[in-house]
Amino acid sequence: MTHTYNSKMVIITVGNHIITGTAEDSFVTIEQPEDGVTAKTGCDGDVVRSITPSNMHNIRIVLLWGSKSGKYLMNMYKKDREDGTGMFPIEVKDLGGGMLFSAKEAWVTKMAPYTGGKEAQNREWTLTAADGTFEEE
């Protein structure tokens, strides 16, 4: 069976904004900050597993310098820092099939650092989703 991936088919929506101006390489990463299942072994070799109840996810979005989406994320970050109202729903969807991530509440955890140089640099934004679901098709 042959599968085809097309980066143009990966749609990232934050609030009412569709992310544009993504970097050419890895432009979105979604991961849980802690293990979902942990285990401990006792002195006699018995093992106990613990299921982590958290569905928190960290999302990294890498944008080209000057992307309008960077301005949107910066405005949401500032809004959150000012009055705590910078949360938004997030969805990352591969329209070609294979992956869907969504959460009703997400926020910008850390604004992208500014990097200057001879050429324009990518800007990496860090977001957190409180109760995200991640599905593979």
Side-chain angles (χ1 to χ4, degrees):
M1 179 182 279
T2 302
H3 300 279
T4 302
Y5 168 78
N6 182 344
S7 62
K8 287 185 174 186
M9 301 289 284
V10 178
I11 308 299
I12 306 167
T13 307
V14 291
N16 61 1
H17 180 84
I18 297 174
I19 297 291
T20 60
T22 55
E24 68 176 330
D25 290 326
S26 297
F27 59 87
V28 63
T29 303
I30 305 166
E31 64 182 350
Q32 289 184 301
E34 56 188 328
D35 294 340
V37 180
T38 60
K40 288 190 177 187
T41 305
C43 292
D44 60 356
D46 283 355
V47 176
V48 62
R49 296 179 341 129
S50 297
I51 308 299
T52 304
S54 173
N55 283 324
M56 189 176 299
H57 288 77
N58 293 330
I59 301 115
R60 182 177 59 95
I61 299 175
V62 185
L63 302 174
L64 295 170
W65 185 90
S67 167
K68 290 180 182 178
S69 293
K71 184 175 181 177
Y72 177 86
L73 293 172
M74 177 62 87
N75 287 339
M76 296 306 289
Y77 177 75
K78 286 180 179 179
K79 189 175 183 178
D80 216 15
R81 299 268 302 176
E82 287 172 10
D83 60 17
T85 61
M87 288 197 303
F88 44 81
I90 185 168
E91 184 175 270
V92 180
K93 190 171 191 177
D94 183 347
L95 299 177
M99 189 267 295
L100 170 67
F101 174 82
S102 63
K104 292 180 182 177
E105 295 179 332
W107 59 91
V108 179
T109 309
K110 182 178 177 183
M111 65 181 212
Y114 177 82
T115 304
K118 183 178 177 183
E119 295 183 358
Q121 304 293 313
N122 291 336
R123 311 267 331 262
E124 182 176 312
W125 292 87
T126 305
L127 287 69
T128 300
D131 193 17
T133 59
F134 187 72
E135 300 173 16
E136 297 248 4
E137 293 180 356

